[in-house]
Amino acid sequence: MKGSPRRHPSLDDLTEREREVVAGLVRGLTNKQIGQELGISHRTVEIHRARVMRKLDAPTLAALLAFVLPQRNKLEARHPS
């Protein structure tokens, strides 16, 4: 048995914190700005970002944003309007 077929990555695979980091990236924030907004270090943001990219099979930030932007309504906005 070869194992189950690989399913397509989804934003549903992300943790709440990972979604918050992605939401910051979509808004054009730097890792440092995202960290300040979420109360975590920029290094922790980098770790979350790397995990997101691995989970969503996105080799670059551009690929990640191209995947996420059409689904951005699934991201929880934490910033004031």
Side-chain angles (χ1 to χ4, degrees):
M1 188 167 134
K2 284 189 171 185
S4 61
R6 190 164 175 198
R7 62 183 202 88
H8 294 287
S10 168
L11 290 180
D12 296 331
D13 298 332
L14 304 181
T15 66
E16 182 178 343
R17 181 61 90 190
E18 289 167 344
R19 287 172 183 255
E20 292 168 341
V21 168
V22 171
L25 294 171
V26 166
R27 291 176 29 232
L29 300 179
T30 65
N31 291 345
K32 185 175 180 178
Q33 291 168 324
I34 294 168
Q36 289 171 340
E37 188 173 277
L38 299 178
I40 59 179
S41 77
H42 74 280
R43 289 288 296 139
T44 301
V45 173
E46 290 173 9
I47 291 167
H48 287 302
R49 181 174 162 172
R51 287 184 181 152
V52 166
M53 292 176 76
R54 189 170 45 251
K55 284 181 179 182
L56 299 181
D57 198 23
T60 64
L61 177 58
L64 174 63
L65 292 175
F67 178 84
V68 171
L69 284 173
Q71 307 176 64
R72 65 183 169 263
N73 61 329
K74 291 184 177 182
L75 299 172
E76 180 177 293
R78 291 182 46 102
H79 65 284
S81 300

